Amino acid sequence: MPNLSLLPLALLAAAMMSAGGVPLRDVDDSYTIGQRFEQYRDKYPGIAWAPVTWREGQSVLFDRPYKNSGMRDLHIDIFKAAPESPARHQGIVLVHGGGWSAGNKNHFYALANLLAQRGYTVFLPEFRLSPEAPYPAGMIDIGDALVWAREHAAELELSPDRIAIAGASSGGQMASLLAYAGPSGLFGEGRDRRANALIDLDGVLDFTLPETLKYEDAAKEASPAARWLGGSYGSAASRWREASAASHVGPNAVPTLILGSGIPRFTQGKDEVFAALDRYHVAHREFHFENAPHDFWLFEPWLPRAASEIDSFLSQVVAKKGRAK
């Protein structure tokens, strides 16, 4: 006869498992392209959904597993360079935004498509967000995604030494941190986590500046950054410093492009980072829109210009190892 006292526990365990036997996880679906479009449509006249228009022969590899977190597989989409596009032989790992707690790799499909049509192979990784696992889990994931891209470079006609790391908003913060700190082993040792360039789209570079804290620490323990970093600045200051990309800029830093909406709060730390890059003679470039929404990479008319700036930076600065101001 079954032990009825254990039945509630058994039902709870069953409820926490998906049909495939994988534990269910909390998902924050508060950040979507549609939600942002409705928020912006009256504030930015001319804003429009960005189409994804394929060229003949284009191909995308969807949902390829790149690692197992111990609880589930994490997946990556690969937009292969379009046929008859310039032969860039350059890869880009794009890290989506969403306040470290939300967002989806499919938010980057429009930008990835434009970059693929310019000759780049683009990798869009899924990674653990704060409702599932706090810092540094997501950082380890995107580092492993970069490793995966390097290890599969040859079959995609890329050099493993020509893969950039890029991201938008919270993803830009993460990409910047990985670009400067990843090679040190901070987010996983034993495998090469070097990128050949960084592209930060409106991602904070220093969590500890007063203007950053004014926003990112406003709700203290309930702030998105605090939920990701495991505490407010007051209770976890050392982790906030560690997670600041500006803390890790050194002589081996990579060429850096910062694309901004023109809203200063989102690129805090830029001046400190550029000063350090100047000291180490590392190429850098910046471009800021005027009167653009924070999520400019999601919508027209700003998206095509963002793709053009990324292409210009990678083809004119990174490929030639020159200096840009």
Side-chain angles (χ1 to χ4, degrees):
M1 183 173 180
N3 184 341
L4 297 181
S5 66
L6 297 178
L7 187 57
L9 291 177
L11 292 174
L12 178 62
M16 294 177 65
M17 302 294 286
S18 69
V22 178
L24 297 177
R25 66 187 191 280
D26 291 333
V27 175
D28 179 353
D29 61 359
S30 61
Y31 176 59
T32 67
I33 299 176
Q35 173 259 333
R36 287 302 170 104
F37 183 80
E38 290 302 316
Q39 178 181 336
Y40 295 145
R41 66 188 307 171
D42 295 329
K43 185 176 180 181
Y44 298 98
I47 188 173
W49 289 85
V52 178
T53 304
W54 306 105
R55 289 182 182 172
E56 184 176 355
Q58 263 190 269
S59 61
V60 183
L61 309 177
F62 290 110
D63 269 351
R64 300 299 171 97
Y66 74 89
K67 70 174 284 185
N68 186 282
S69 70
M71 298 294 289
R72 66 185 184 94
D73 286 341
L74 297 175
H75 304 87
I76 196 166
D77 298 335
I78 305 103
F79 280 63
K80 299 176 71 174
E84 300 183 8
S85 61
R88 305 294 189 195
H89 302 296
Q90 168 78 50
I92 310 171
V93 176
L94 283 179
V95 183
H96 72 76
W100 305 281
S101 67
N104 193 291
K105 57 185 169 64
N106 63 28
H107 291 184
F108 263 141
Y109 281 1
L111 178 57
N113 182 58
L114 291 183
L115 292 171
Q117 291 176 356
R118 290 173 177 266
Y120 299 96
T121 296
V122 184
F123 303 85
L124 307 179
E126 172 190 23
F127 54 92
R128 287 171 289 176
L129 298 164
S130 60
E132 180 178 4
Y135 174 92
M139 291 300 308
I140 294 169
D141 294 340
I142 66 168
D144 288 342
L146 178 59
V147 169
W148 189 93
R150 290 172 63 93
E151 292 176 346
H152 289 79
E155 66 195 69
L156 295 167
E157 300 182 3
L158 301 172
S159 164
D161 296 324
R162 297 192 65 188
I163 299 177
I165 183 75
S169 193
S170 58
Q173 180 274 322
M174 296 174 71
S176 301
L177 182 57
L178 183 67
Y180 298 143
S184 72
L186 182 60
F187 304 113
E189 298 180 349
R191 301 166 82 190
D192 198 339
R193 289 169 173 79
R194 286 177 299 156
N196 76 324
L198 164 64
I199 302 155
D200 176 9
L201 292 78
D202 243 10
V204 168
L205 294 150
D206 192 337
F207 276 122
T208 69
L209 297 176
E211 188 67 12
T212 309
L213 294 172
K214 176 182 174 182
Y215 297 98
E216 302 301 344
D217 198 39
K220 303 303 179 185
E221 306 296 332
S223 297
R227 292 198 299 268
W228 183 53
L229 294 171
S232 66
Y233 182 66
S235 63
S238 63
R239 202 170 302 126
W240 285 58
R241 285 192 292 270
E242 179 184 277
S244 295
S247 300
H248 303 277
V249 182
N252 295 318
V254 295
T256 297
L257 169 66
I258 293 179
L259 294 179
S261 61
I263 304 171
R265 62 169 287 198
F266 293 111
T267 52
Q268 287 295 302
K270 170 183 67 68
D271 292 342
E272 292 81 357
V273 166
F274 279 2
L277 294 175
D278 275 334
R279 287 196 301 273
Y280 298 119
H281 307 289
V282 177
H284 55 84
R285 177 183 285 184
E286 64 177 310
F287 175 84
H288 293 273
F289 290 98
E290 294 183 6
N291 193 35
H294 169 49
D295 328 64
F296 58 83
W297 54 89
L298 297 177
F299 304 110
E300 293 195 341
W302 308 280
L303 171 64
R305 181 60 184 270
S308 178
E309 291 294 330
I310 293 170
D311 179 24
S312 173
F313 172 70
L314 290 174
S315 61
Q316 297 177 14
V317 177
V318 177
K320 296 178 182 178
K321 296 292 185 181
R323 182 173 184 78
K325 289 284 190 73

